[in-house]
Amino acid sequence: MRLMLVLPVLLVLAGCGSAHQVAPPPTEAPKLPDVPLDIRRCFVGVVEIPDRALSVEDTERLWKIDRARSGSQQRCGLRLIARDDALREGWR
């Protein structure tokens, strides 16, 4: 008779053992990769204007440098946006 009472208790306790398994340790949140150095270097700023009267040649030279930088920065910005879009597609 005792065995009949002990057996159900043992079965209940045996079932409880699998319910209390240790959870795996939490993993760190995935980290976004750093922005590549070549893209960081693209954003160098605007042309510095000298603190003096500018000649026509100075103005034209500085304007050309500024336009070249502007085009380069636009291309870098588009690469950065494309990189971000690609990262977001795979992000959970």
Side-chain angles (χ1 to χ4, degrees):
M1 175 101 164
R2 280 188 177 182
L3 184 59
M4 292 175 73
L5 292 175
V6 173
L7 189 58
V9 172
L10 290 176
L11 287 175
V12 170
L13 290 176
C16 291
S18 62
H20 296 292
Q21 292 177 349
V22 176
T27 59
E28 279 189 29
K31 183 179 176 268
L32 280 173
D34 293 332
V35 175
L37 192 57
D38 65 320
I39 291 179
R40 287 185 179 275
R41 288 182 182 152
C42 288
F43 302 104
V44 294
V46 296
V47 175
E48 291 191 31
I49 300 174
D51 189 18
R52 61 176 168 79
L54 299 176
S55 67
V56 172
E57 291 82 19
D58 290 335
T59 303
E60 184 178 339
R61 182 178 52 80
L62 293 172
W63 180 81
K64 286 179 180 179
I65 292 170
D66 187 61
R67 296 312 307 153
R69 282 188 185 178
S70 179
S72 175
Q73 288 172 347
Q74 183 180 19
R75 288 187 298 276
C76 281
L78 292 173
R79 284 182 27 231
L80 182 60
I81 290 169
R83 175 187 177 271
D84 185 66
D85 288 344
L87 285 172
R88 288 177 187 275
E89 284 180 15
W91 203 252
R92 54 178 167 135

